[in-house]
């Protein structure tokens, strides 16, 4: 990553929470957010981002079962166009952020921790896609549907939590 | 202007606005946009430091923002539906308000929760944030999201004849 290197050791410590203390003997935590609760203003930003996204999910009908169904039936380009454009906009933005080394509000460099490849990408991916097609919701729209008064989506959330617990218990046995 | 806001938004507005969430959350909050980790957060809060290592070793404090984020999404869903929509929003067709519909949502939800956590992310974390950061496993994940979704949808079409 092209981050400001003088800040890097601190950042990495922050990211890996279970690092033994001995691995960085001289690193005194100077940042108050370390080993402490996230500052309130970060939660506020996250909450506002969530509200913004929830509104967009409703207004773009991304959280509507019919839209998802017609995407998988290849009857509508709507969802494909939204997802593709979102990736392009996000990708170009992140490129600019990295190129111009734009820091976050907290002054730390913006970094992306890559999600690694594992067999779950394939098996979990197929299961997730099947669930997306059955319910017309991926995790974001589940919360949107509940917020929009579609109480049946509470069952989708209950199922999702059950699936998460099932994965938590089976994880050591899965490839 | 108001009538445009109250009507469903076109794909290009939605695509731009959703895409901007990724840099916005990076800069404003120092977080990578992703939603399904909130499920792990809830699980870890339920088991409260016990249970399988997937939940026991999870940092509930560091992950608390994911819960705040989905509370925001919930509120946004409420605002968008009741204050920013001229017509009633139909998320699920009427056919889902039945016993078979309930089972369908439960089973589908199970697959969402299991699959998203097994794959390490969902449409937001993998398809949008992951691909946007040129993370190739996220592209593989997205391809298999569609393999699963297309198989179920077209399997049902073929079964129905």
């Amino acid at each position: 990553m092209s981050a400001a290197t003088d800040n890097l050791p601190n950042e990495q410590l922050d990211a890996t929470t279970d690092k033994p203390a001995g691995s960085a003997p001289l690193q005194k935590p100077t940042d108050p957010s370390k080993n402490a609760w996230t500052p309130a203003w970060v939660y506020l930003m996250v909450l506002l981002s969530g509200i913004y996204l929830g509104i967009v999910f409703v207004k773009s009908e991304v959280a509507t079962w019919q839209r998802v169904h017609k995407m998988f039936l290849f009857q509508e380009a709507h969802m494909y166009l939204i997802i593709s454009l979102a990736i392009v906009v996000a990708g170009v933005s992140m490129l600019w952020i990295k190129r111009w080394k734009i820091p976050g509000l907290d002054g730390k460099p913006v970094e992306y921790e890559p999600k690694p490849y594992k067999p779950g990408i394939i098996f979990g991916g197929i299961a997730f896609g099947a669930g997306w097609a059955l319910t017309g919701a991926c995790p974001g729209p589940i919360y949107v549907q509940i917020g929009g008064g579609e109480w049946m989506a509470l069952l989708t959330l209950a199922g999702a939590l059950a699936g998460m617990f099932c994965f938590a218990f089976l994880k050591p046995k899965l490839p | 202007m108001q009538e445009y806001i109250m009507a469903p938004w076109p794909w290009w507005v939605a695509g731009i606005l959703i895409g901007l969430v990724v840099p916005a959350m990076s800069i404003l909050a120092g977080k990578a946009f992703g939603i399904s980790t909130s499920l792990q957060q809830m699980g870890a809060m339920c088991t409260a430091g016990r249970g399988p290592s997937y939940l026991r070793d999870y940092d509930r404090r560091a992950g608390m923002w994911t819960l705040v984020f989905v509370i925001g999404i919930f509120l946004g869903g409420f605002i968008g539906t009741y204050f920013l929509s001229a017509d009633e929003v139909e998320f699920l067709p009427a056919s889902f308000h039945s016993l078979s519909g309930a089972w369908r949502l439960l089973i589908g939800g199970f697959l969402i929760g299991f699959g998203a956590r097994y794959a390490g992310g969902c449409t937001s974390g993998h398809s949008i944030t992951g691909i946007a950061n040129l993370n190739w496993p996220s592209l593989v994940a997205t391809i298999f999201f569609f393999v699963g979704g297309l198989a179920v949808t077209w399997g049902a079409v073929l079964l129905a004849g």
Side-chain angles (χ1 to χ4, degrees):
Chain A
M1 295 278 159
S2 57
T5 41
D6 51 341
N7 277 335
L8 215 54
N10 269 327
E11 303 313 317
Q12 284 172 342
L13 255 188
D14 207 26
T16 53
T17 47
D18 283 331
K19 209 162 223 179
S23 67
L26 294 176
Q27 292 289 342
K28 271 284 168 197
T30 47
D31 181 347
S33 74
K34 219 156 270 155
N35 301 319
W37 289 91
T38 311
W41 65 267
V42 171
Y43 284 133
L44 180 67
M45 292 301 170
V46 166
L47 185 73
L48 292 175
S49 303
I51 293 173
Y52 163 89
L53 191 69
I55 292 173
V56 177
F57 276 178
V58 172
K59 296 308 299 176
S60 60
E61 299 186 319
V62 164
T64 300
W65 186 88
Q66 285 291 354
R67 290 290 196 181
V68 177
H69 192 55
K70 287 180 174 171
M71 166 183 76
F72 284 126
L73 284 175
F74 300 122
Q75 286 179 356
E76 276 186 1
H78 185 79
M79 293 287 291
Y80 292 108
L81 291 168
I82 289 180
I83 295 172
S84 309
L85 183 57
I87 292 170
V88 170
V89 169
V92 171
S93 310
M94 292 311 287
L95 209 66
W96 285 344
I97 287 176
K98 286 169 191 168
R99 175 162 303 171
W100 294 331
K101 297 188 172 72
I102 299 172
L105 278 189
D106 56 4
K108 296 177 187 173
V110 168
E111 282 184 20
Y112 173 73
E113 193 183 327
K115 291 175 184 278
Y117 177 80
K118 52 181 182 169
I121 294 257
I122 293 175
F123 303 124
I126 291 174
F128 171 80
W132 187 13
L134 283 172
T135 63
C138 39
I142 296 176
Y143 302 107
V144 168
Q145 291 176 353
I146 298 170
E150 179 51 78
W151 301 111
M152 291 297 279
L154 283 169
L155 293 171
T156 320
L157 181 60
L161 288 170
M164 175 275 301
F165 275 118
C166 181
F167 170 69
F169 281 101
L170 288 181
K171 188 170 183 273
K173 298 191 176 76
L174 291 169
Chain B
M1 184 64 193
Q2 197 187 349
E3 62 192 288
Y4 287 110
I5 291 177
M6 299 299 280
W9 297 351
W11 64 269
W12 54 272
V13 172
I16 293 170
L17 294 183
I18 294 172
L20 287 176
V21 170
V22 176
M25 288 190 71
S26 293
I27 291 180
L28 298 179
K31 304 297 181 196
F33 170 45
I35 299 175
S36 68
T37 310
S38 62
L39 298 171
Q40 188 181 6
Q41 172 75 22
M42 289 183 212
M45 286 169 76
C46 287
T47 57
R50 290 190 293 275
S53 70
Y54 182 70
L55 302 176
R56 190 179 62 232
D57 299 338
Y58 175 82
D59 188 340
R60 280 173 281 154
R61 263 191 203 176
M64 190 58 80
W65 71 272
T66 63
L67 199 61
V68 175
F69 187 44
V70 298
I71 290 170
I73 296 175
F74 168 88
L75 292 173
F78 176 79
I79 295 167
T81 304
Y82 295 106
F83 297 101
L84 294 174
S85 296
D87 299 316
E88 197 180 332
V89 185
E90 190 191 60
F91 292 109
L92 295 173
S95 62
F96 274 87
H97 295 255
S98 63
L99 191 62
S100 64
W103 276 111
R104 185 177 179 155
L105 293 176
L106 262 178
I107 294 167
F110 184 91
L111 291 169
I112 290 172
F114 183 87
R117 292 331 298 154
Y118 194 11
C122 61
T123 344
S124 52
H126 267 316
S127 307
I128 297 180
T129 309
I131 297 180
N133 281 289
L134 306 178
N135 185 44
W136 68 266
S138 294
L139 179 62
V140 178
T142 304
I143 291 169
F144 282 95
F145 293 165
F146 279 92
V147 168
L150 291 170
V152 163
T153 305
W154 286 93
V157 169
L158 295 176
L159 278 178

